Amino acid sequence: MAETIRSTAEKIRKLQVQGARNVAIAAVKAIQTQAEQTKAKNKTQFLQELKEAQTIFSASRETEPLMRNAIRWIIIQTQTANTEKVDALSQNVSLNVSQFLKDLEVSREQTAEIGAKRIRDGSVVFTHCHSSTVTRLLAKAKADGNNFKVICTETRPAFQGRITAKEMVELGIETTFIVDSAARTFMGNVDVVVVGADAITSEGNVVNKIGSSGIAVLAHEARKPFYVVSELLKFDPATLRGECEKIEQRNSNEVWSEAPQKLLVCNPAFDVTPNRYIHGLICEEGIIAPQAIVEVMRRRYPWIF
Ligand code: RUB
């Protein structure tokens, strides 16, 4: 097993690489390096290496279908490649990884282009955690000449909201940083809520950073639109077959490292926002009802089934 696979998986596990998109990108790049340095003697061994990497990455963070889908796509391309030669297969993986990264970038640009139109001049935008897809959309809205304010949560326990806050300040967007539990206090002044996604289920429910579903309920109560901004490839096909998306449980030390012994500290990383609280899913296809996800995936990404 190439060292790069283990070390990248470790970085992902420790949140040194954060956010669904960055996680998937890091994993496929490591697979590209592994393929370039392969010691496999034939196609069977080459595929075996890819499958070992798949197992290691899938275990590094459980709630990351974009990473799983990306690796699966690379394996399918390798299985169906019309060659037995290891050199050619290695080159194939390299090309497929580059193609995947390019497509992911195009999806994000299309998503930003579409979603930026929902960020009106003079409005107040609420976001939670750090989603590179959301911050790209906000950067596009700003570049389009809209002046808007952002409210972002700190996002306990790992404070990923600070990454969003820094990015917003760098973009010159007036930003207010609040503790997670202040969300309801501020919701009345908000015009639109935008959050990212880690997983989208077959029912169109969305798994995102813990706290997202509570914010969705608050937005609903205050009659503010709650949008999810996400690449379609965060859809998890296993949910169509009846599996429930696994919710990663993180180390309790992240919440309270010196907690009294015998205290049970729970630290789920994500929660599920039911589709009824989601105004729309902003993705490369356009703004769609989250319930349309299976139909859209069948048309755009049939290999996923
Ligand atoms: C990050 C998080 C982000 C999504 C989407 O959680 O919940 O909203 O991953 O991010 P964590 P992106 O920090 O635990 O990975 O749009 O960048 O894929």
Side-chain angles (χ1 to χ4, degrees):
M1 170 60 46
E3 179 49 29
T4 175
I5 299 292
R6 286 203 191 284
S7 62
T8 308
E10 197 51 16
K11 280 189 193 147
I12 292 172
R13 196 185 61 74
K14 288 184 175 160
L15 290 189
Q16 288 167 2
V17 179
Q18 166 271 328
R21 212 185 134 79
N22 290 334
V23 162
I25 291 171
V28 295
K29 282 187 176 168
I31 286 178
Q32 191 175 35
T33 306
Q34 168 181 264
E36 281 160 10
Q37 299 170 350
T38 183
K39 303 236 167 10
K41 303 254 178 311
N42 52 43
K43 188 168 182 173
T44 310
Q45 286 180 9
F46 188 82
L47 273 166
Q48 193 50 40
E49 280 184 0
L50 286 180
K51 286 183 183 163
E52 278 170 26
Q54 181 180 41
T55 307
I56 289 178
F57 280 128
S58 297
S60 66
R61 294 203 69 188
E62 291 180 303
T63 320
E64 299 298 359
L66 178 63
M67 169 170 65
R68 292 198 294 272
N69 290 335
I71 298 174
R72 232 187 93 223
W73 184 72
I74 291 161
I75 292 180
I76 293 170
Q77 299 304 308
T78 310
Q79 280 165 335
T80 54
N82 201 9
T83 178
E84 296 293 314
K85 291 202 177 109
V86 172
D87 274 3
L89 291 169
S90 159
Q91 224 174 9
N92 232 289
V93 166
S94 206
L95 289 174
N96 285 323
V97 168
S98 302
Q99 186 62 48
F100 176 82
L101 295 175
K102 214 170 117 202
D103 292 348
L104 201 60
E105 191 53 35
V106 171
S107 293
R108 182 163 67 165
E109 288 314 302
Q110 288 170 337
T111 302
E113 180 98 31
I114 296 159
K117 294 186 188 138
R118 293 290 161 109
I119 309 295
R120 305 227 183 275
D121 198 41
S123 62
V124 178
V125 182
F126 189 106
T127 191
H128 181 55
C129 195
H130 175 255
S131 154
S132 58
T133 323
V134 166
T135 57
R136 183 71 202 93
L137 183 158
L138 295 175
K140 174 77 176 105
K142 173 82 180 163
D144 287 349
N146 292 308
N147 272 315
F148 55 92
K149 295 178 186 169
V150 166
I151 298 176
C152 74
T153 57
E154 60 177 355
T155 319
R156 286 272 297 153
F159 303 105
Q160 290 100 326
R162 291 179 185 171
I163 308 171
T164 305
K166 282 184 195 156
E167 283 184 24
M168 294 300 103
V169 169
E170 273 163 28
L171 285 169
I173 297 171
E174 188 182 320
T175 301
T176 305
F177 188 68
I178 60 170
V179 297
D180 299 356
S181 44
R184 188 161 186 255
T185 300
F186 285 83
M187 193 54 79
N189 300 327
V190 166
D191 293 297
V192 60
V193 181
V194 280
V195 300
D198 283 272
I200 307 168
T201 73
S202 56
E203 302 106 309
N205 301 330
V206 168
V207 181
N208 191 50
K209 177 58 52 188
I210 191 78
S212 300
S213 68
I215 291 167
V217 174
L218 296 179
H220 181 75
E221 181 201 43
R223 296 170 159 266
K224 311 294 165 125
F226 177 95
Y227 287 103
V228 173
V229 189
S230 171
E231 297 81 1
L232 286 165
L233 280 174
K234 287 178 182 165
F235 169 70
D236 188 346
T239 58
L240 189 61
R241 298 189 290 271
E243 304 278 337
C244 286
E245 190 64 37
K246 287 205 181 78
I247 302 293
E248 177 190 341
Q249 302 295 319
R250 296 198 60 84
N251 196 312
S252 61
N253 285 338
E254 290 178 357
V255 178
W256 193 359
S257 57
E258 285 160 17
Q261 277 184 0
K262 295 191 179 163
L263 177 70
L264 183 65
V265 180
C266 286
N267 187 15
F270 304 105
D271 63 19
V272 184
T273 302
N275 60 33
R276 66 180 176 279
Y277 293 113
I278 302 171
H279 202 81
L281 176 62
I282 305 177
C283 59
E284 62 267 38
E285 171 87 2
I287 303 185
I288 63 168
Q291 294 91 329
I293 186 81
V294 172
E295 185 239 312
V296 173
M297 291 305 292
R298 282 205 198 281
R299 183 159 36 78
R300 272 188 94 114
Y301 302 101
W303 58 266
I304 211 168
F305 299 95

